[in-house]
Amino acid sequence: MDFIDWQNKISLGGEIVVSNSYINDAKRELKDKEKSDEKRRKELYDGIKSVKKLDEILKKMIYKALSEDKIMNHIKSFTTFVKASVEICYSYTHLLHKFRQENYRVMRVYNANHSFGFKFDIPDDEYTNLLNKSDYEIEFGILFHEFTCWLSDASIVESQILPIYLKIVTLKELDSGSSIKIENLENWWISKA
């Protein structure tokens, strides 16, 4: 299904369903009481609880992408966005792992007030491209719109920036219990970390 199909199904009352193989495997193991001791059973129950929370975070991230114009206007490939969201949502070490990779540069996103928001990474060749097109201004900060216009690989927006931002927003909402307004991405600044 593409973005419009998903959006139409959600607007007609459809739900996002996440099927997680870990939960199914854990439940099967829990049914076979002879296979696991009490310690293992506790690990499985805790794992199921943790994964269900991540499933809920992922659903909220995708729902926000489908319902917020400020987000969906920047998604060119919904498949790329969903795959990246799954990776970012379920991987605790995703960001640390990518930041340590060779041939990648860490970038920072700041909101309109120039308050630090989050980090993401881009390949070195993309960074060199941005340096050249921005006349080295990327080192100090450029507007999000300029950043997206100068990218040679626009999928960075939907595979890095949007999923990371939506995960942060979703976690803050779950923590506070109240809805958080999606920022106008056009007011963001991006610079080298």
Side-chain angles (χ1 to χ4, degrees), residues 49-95:
K49 183 179 175 183
S50 177
V51 169
K52 282 185 176 181
K53 183 175 182 178
L54 292 173
D55 290 350
E56 199 56 40
I57 291 168
L58 178 64
K59 286 193 274 187
K60 289 178 183 286
M61 289 169 63
I62 294 171
Y63 181 78
K64 281 188 179 302
L66 291 167
S67 61
E68 292 280 348
D69 288 342
K70 294 173 188 172
I71 299 294
M72 69 179 161
N73 292 339
H74 293 285
I75 296 176
K76 305 294 183 247
S77 168
F78 194 61
T79 301
T80 300
F81 169 77
V82 171
K83 286 179 181 177
S85 294
V86 168
E87 180 183 337
I88 288 167
C89 185
Y90 291 94
S91 177
Y92 295 108
T93 59
H94 167 77
L95 298 176

Side-chain angles (χ1 to χ4, degrees), residues 6-125:
W6 278 66
Q7 193 177 36
N8 289 339
K9 292 209 182 259
I10 295 299
S11 67
L12 294 172
E15 287 188 40
I16 297 169
V17 176
V18 177
S19 177
N20 195 306
S21 62
Y22 172 83
I23 292 175
N24 296 334
D25 294 343
K27 285 181 178 179
R28 265 195 298 282
E29 189 174 334
L30 285 168
K31 283 182 183 177
D32 189 359
K33 294 181 181 184
E34 294 175 11
K35 276 191 173 179
S36 56
D37 61 10
E38 193 59 38
K39 180 181 176 188
R40 176 68 179 149
R41 294 176 69 72
K42 182 179 179 347
E43 289 172 358
L44 290 170
Y45 280 119
D46 290 346
I48 289 170
K49 183 179 175 183
S50 177
V51 169
K52 282 185 176 181
K53 183 175 182 178
L54 292 173
D55 290 350
E56 199 56 40
I57 291 168
L58 178 64
K59 286 193 274 187
K60 289 178 183 286
M61 289 169 63
I62 294 171
Y63 181 78
K64 281 188 179 302
L66 291 167
S67 61
E68 292 280 348
D69 288 342
K70 294 173 188 172
I71 299 294
M72 69 179 161
N73 292 339
H74 293 285
I75 296 176
K76 305 294 183 247
S77 168
F78 194 61
T79 301
T80 300
F81 169 77
V82 171
K83 286 179 181 177
S85 294
V86 168
E87 180 183 337
I88 288 167
C89 185
Y90 291 94
S91 177
Y92 295 108
T93 59
H94 167 77
L95 298 176
L96 293 176
H97 171 71
K98 288 234 176 189
F99 291 152
R100 291 186 190 140
Q101 285 185 8
E102 290 183 27
N103 305 321
Y104 276 82
R105 296 287 177 122
V106 179
M107 306 297 289
R108 289 180 184 244
V109 175
Y110 299 87
N111 65 17
N113 300 327
H114 295 273
S115 296
F116 174 64
F118 58 91
K119 296 178 184 179
F120 68 98
D121 60 325
I122 61 172
D124 279 344
D125 59 340

Side-chain angles (χ1 to χ4, degrees), residues 136-149:
Y136 289 84
E137 288 182 33
I138 189 69
E139 291 190 348
F140 309 104
I142 58 174
L143 286 169
F144 183 77
H145 172 72
E146 294 171 316
F147 175 81
T148 58
C149 288

Side-chain angles (χ1 to χ4, degrees), residues 122-176:
I122 61 172
D124 279 344
D125 59 340
E126 186 67 69
Y127 180 72
T128 302
N129 169 57
L130 288 167
L131 271 176
N132 293 333
K133 289 186 176 177
S134 73
D135 199 24
Y136 289 84
E137 288 182 33
I138 189 69
E139 291 190 348
F140 309 104
I142 58 174
L143 286 169
F144 183 77
H145 172 72
E146 294 171 316
F147 175 81
T148 58
C149 288
W150 292 334
L151 281 172
S152 59
D153 178 7
S155 71
I156 290 170
V157 174
E158 60 215 17
S159 67
Q160 288 284 318
I161 298 171
L162 295 179
I164 292 169
Y165 173 64
L166 290 174
K167 183 174 181 183
I168 290 168
V169 167
T170 301
L171 290 171
K172 285 181 179 178
E173 285 182 347
L174 290 172
D175 190 43
S176 70

